[in-house]
């Protein structure tokens, strides 16, 4: 079987690794890929945002499955264009991708189908939004400010004060996030512990993967700005069997009913960011693709064929798929460039990757490039160093032993990934 993966990050490297280990896959392509992916797949450079070019390549090269990594191509309709050629696609239609592409649409969907979520209001003008912020703080409630559209993981501001919330609102409407900020969603600030629940669905069946938890804040002890994620681990002890059953019933099953009722073609992954509150689990957001960096902690635990489950999902046969998971926890630590998540310092040679791999770690490339025969940092999140262990503490120790072997000028990383899991299990 021939497979094409779209994307260039750590998530796509993890997907490509899983596919490369699947016995059914005879040829693996990735566009555009990265230096790490290039070691296991043939990287091709299809024009970004050109759905016809992707469909033409897939048709010409006899691709049996397209697996779409990032949200942007899905929101641009690449799944529809390729499916129209009779090719199986793992990823929702453009209409289904609105569940991530528009936070306002997503919140309306949750409310309509009884999916527990934070109270919210949406605004298209700054003055009304600022009045709402003031009224929330006057009532003693905090606010989360969200740009409606895609903002590369940076459009969510968990405000620490009324002033910060107001500044965030003004920032959205002033064009900081482009068209993504033309509508602003203001949410009640929920308290609790976060978890990531990813589930496969072919529109008829929905099957959760093993649980995970990521760390959004840049610095240790959950300080500093929000990022796309500084590390993740799987499983998340906060997700007990009882909690997973509740999420399945109140979130995943209702999500499935919603996409069926709305007639949204959805053959792919749904990511539910969950806040475990004193009143039960509530959905913070939906993403329509594998989470990053959660994928780098989840997929190494899959010991059966990744191709089999993606292909069966794409062909409406998810109920026939089998997933065998390792009981060993997996931890992934993000190594980022200096300046992330702001202005980056990049182009520095990276050393020690092979040493980390020799120590038993899996090193996923997220923001790397080749320059003069060397691997250099080219993005914000550069590498994800993942490791399995018989316990979460052992996995943490193993992952950080790999991290310590890797270096480039200005590298930064958190030193406390999985601290909640470790403290919970003591």
């Amino acid at each position: 079987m021939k497979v094409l993966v779209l994307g260039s990050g750590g998530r796509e490297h993890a997907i490509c690794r899983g596919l490369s280990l699947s016995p059914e896959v005879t040829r693996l392509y990735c566009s555009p890929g990265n230096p790490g992916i290039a070691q296991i797949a043939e990287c091709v450079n299809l024009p970004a945002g050109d759905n016809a070019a992707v469909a033409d390549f897939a048709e010409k090269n006899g691709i049996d499955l397209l697996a779409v990594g990032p949200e942007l191509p899905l929101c641009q309709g690449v799944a529809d264009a390729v499916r129209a050629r009779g090719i199986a696609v793992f990823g929702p239609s453009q209409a289904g991708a609105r569940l991530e592409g528009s936070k306002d649409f997503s919140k309306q969907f949750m409310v309509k189908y009884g999916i527990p979520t934070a109270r919210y209001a949406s605004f298209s003008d700054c003055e009304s939004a600022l009045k709402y912020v003031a009224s929330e703080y006057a009532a003693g409630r905090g606010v989360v400010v969200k740009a409606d559209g895609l903002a590369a993981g940076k459009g969510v501001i968990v405000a620490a004060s009324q002033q910060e919330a107001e500044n965030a609102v003004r920032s959205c409407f002033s064009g900081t996030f482009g068209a993504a900020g033309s509508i602003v969603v203001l949410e009640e600030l929920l308290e609790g512990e976060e978890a990531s629940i990813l589930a496969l669905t072919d529109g008829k069946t929905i099957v959760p993967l093993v649980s995970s938890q990521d760390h959004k804040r840049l610095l240790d002890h959950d300080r500093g700005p929000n990022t796309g994620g500084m590390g993740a681990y799987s499983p998340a002890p906060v997700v007990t069997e009882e909690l997973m059953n509740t999420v399945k019933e109140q979130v995943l099953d209702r999500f499935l009913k919603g996409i069926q009722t709305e007639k949204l073609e959805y053959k792919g992954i749904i990511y539910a960011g969950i806040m475990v509150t004193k009143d039960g689990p509530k959905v913070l957001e939906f993403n329509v693709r594998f989470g990053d960096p959660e994928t780098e902690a989840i997929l190494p635990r899959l010991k059966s064929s990744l191709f089999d489950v993606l292909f069966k999902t794409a062909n409406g046969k998810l109920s026939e798929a089998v997933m065998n998971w390792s009981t060993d926890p997996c931890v992934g630590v993000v190594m980022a460039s200096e300046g992330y998540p702001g202005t980056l310092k990049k182009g520095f040679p990276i050393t020690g990757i092979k040493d980390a791999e020799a120590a038993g770690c899996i090193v996923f490339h997220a923001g790397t490039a080749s320059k003069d025969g060397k691997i250099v940092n080219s993005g914000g999140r550069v590498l994800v160093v993942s490791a399995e262990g018989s316990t979460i503490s052992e996995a943490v120790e193993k992952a950080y032993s790999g991290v310590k072997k890797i270096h480039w000028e200005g590298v930064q990383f958190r030193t406390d990934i999985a601290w909640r899991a470790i403290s919970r299990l003591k």
Side-chain angles (χ1 to χ4, degrees):
M1 290 289 194
K2 298 179 181 179
V3 184
L4 170 63
V5 175
L6 292 188
S8 63
R11 164 186 49 223
E12 289 75 35
H13 192 175
I15 292 169
C16 284
R17 176 182 178 272
L19 290 169
S20 73
L21 297 172
S22 300
E24 305 93 336
V25 177
T26 55
R27 192 146 189 190
L28 180 60
Y29 299 94
C30 186
S31 175
N34 63 41
I37 293 172
Q39 296 173 31
I40 54 175
E42 182 179 338
C43 291
V44 294
N45 199 11
L46 302 174
D50 190 337
N51 294 341
V54 176
D56 288 345
F57 178 90
E59 193 169 43
K60 180 181 177 181
N61 290 276
I63 296 299
D64 297 291
L65 174 69
L66 170 68
V68 186
E71 63 275 17
L72 183 57
L74 291 168
C75 290
Q76 293 172 335
V78 72
D80 308 75
V82 176
R83 279 198 188 101
R85 307 286 183 97
I87 298 165
V89 180
F90 182 86
S93 64
Q94 185 172 27
R98 286 190 69 203
L99 287 161
E100 180 169 0
S102 169
K103 293 181 179 64
D104 180 53
F105 175 79
S106 182
K107 294 293 283 190
Q108 290 182 45
F109 179 92
M110 291 182 215
V111 171
K112 184 174 181 179
Y113 292 101
I115 296 169
T117 188
R119 189 172 46 82
Y120 83 105
S122 297
F123 299 90
S124 56
D125 70 285
C126 188
E127 186 177 346
S128 299
L130 290 174
K131 286 181 180 177
Y132 183 87
V133 168
S135 67
E136 287 296 284
Y137 277 92
R141 294 187 289 263
V143 168
V144 178
V145 181
K146 296 184 176 182
D148 175 63
L150 298 179
K154 299 179 178 66
V156 176
I157 301 94
V158 181
S161 64
Q162 180 175 341
Q163 185 65 55
E164 189 174 335
E166 291 172 350
N167 290 344
V169 167
R170 292 188 182 97
S171 180
C172 287
F173 283 115
S174 68
T176 298
F177 304 112
S182 59
I183 295 175
V184 171
V185 176
L186 299 178
E187 283 188 358
E188 157 195 21
L189 178 62
L190 297 177
E191 293 184 358
E193 185 172 345
E194 287 189 47
S196 302
I197 304 296
L198 282 68
L200 296 159
T201 183
D202 60 0
K204 297 179 289 186
T205 303
I206 194 159
V207 179
L209 308 185
V210 290
S211 66
S212 61
Q213 185 179 87
D214 78 335
H215 297 256
K216 290 291 188 202
R217 298 284 190 171
L218 179 68
L219 305 174
D220 285 4
H221 312 301
D222 295 319
R223 295 178 296 111
N226 261 349
T227 70
M230 293 301 293
Y233 59 93
S234 172
V238 68
V239 184
T240 61
E241 184 177 355
E242 180 184 6
L243 182 70
M244 182 62 95
N245 289 337
T246 301
V247 170
K248 179 77 166 61
E249 177 187 326
Q250 297 184 4
V251 178
L252 300 182
D253 289 348
R254 294 175 188 178
F255 169 85
L256 183 60
K257 180 183 178 182
I259 61 172
Q260 291 171 341
T261 303
E262 300 292 328
K263 294 181 169 55
L264 299 175
E265 184 169 18
Y266 208 110
K267 295 183 174 74
I269 200 97
I270 183 67
Y271 167 124
I274 301 287
M275 182 69 82
V276 183
T277 75
K278 60 180 176 57
D279 299 317
K282 295 190 177 185
V283 176
L284 297 170
E285 63 178 352
F286 279 140
N287 292 330
V288 298
R289 37 68 188 182
F290 278 103
D292 194 348
E294 291 96 335
T295 306
E296 293 93 310
I298 290 174
L299 288 189
R301 297 183 61 206
L302 181 66
K303 301 310 175 186
S304 51
S305 168
L306 177 62
F307 173 82
D308 180 69
V309 71
L310 299 189
F311 191 68
K312 283 177 177 168
T313 300
N315 284 286
K317 297 180 179 180
L318 176 58
S319 61
E320 300 175 13
V322 175
M323 287 181 283
N324 296 322
W325 298 99
S326 167
T327 56
D328 288 348
C330 184
V331 172
V333 180
V334 170
M335 302 183 72
S337 295
E338 183 178 354
Y340 180 73
T343 304
L344 306 175
K345 294 187 178 181
K346 51 191 180 180
F348 299 108
I350 303 170
T351 60
I353 292 176
K354 289 184 178 179
D355 294 332
E357 291 172 335
C361 295
I362 308 167
V363 181
F364 295 110
H365 290 235
T368 64
S370 295
K371 182 180 179 183
D372 301 327
K374 296 179 179 179
I375 304 296
V376 300
N377 67 316
S378 63
R381 293 184 294 173
V382 180
L383 300 171
V384 183
V385 181
S386 295
E388 290 183 88
S390 58
T391 64
I392 192 76
S393 296
E394 184 180 305
V396 167
E397 184 178 346
K398 192 173 175 182
Y400 276 108
S401 72
V403 167
K404 290 171 185 175
K405 296 179 188 299
I406 299 172
H407 182 73
W408 70 88
E409 188 174 324
V411 61
Q412 61 171 331
F413 55 87
R414 281 183 59 159
T415 64
D416 64 347
I417 300 303
W419 70 265
R420 285 192 185 89
I422 292 170
S423 62
R424 184 178 285 270
L425 294 173
K426 281 182 179 177

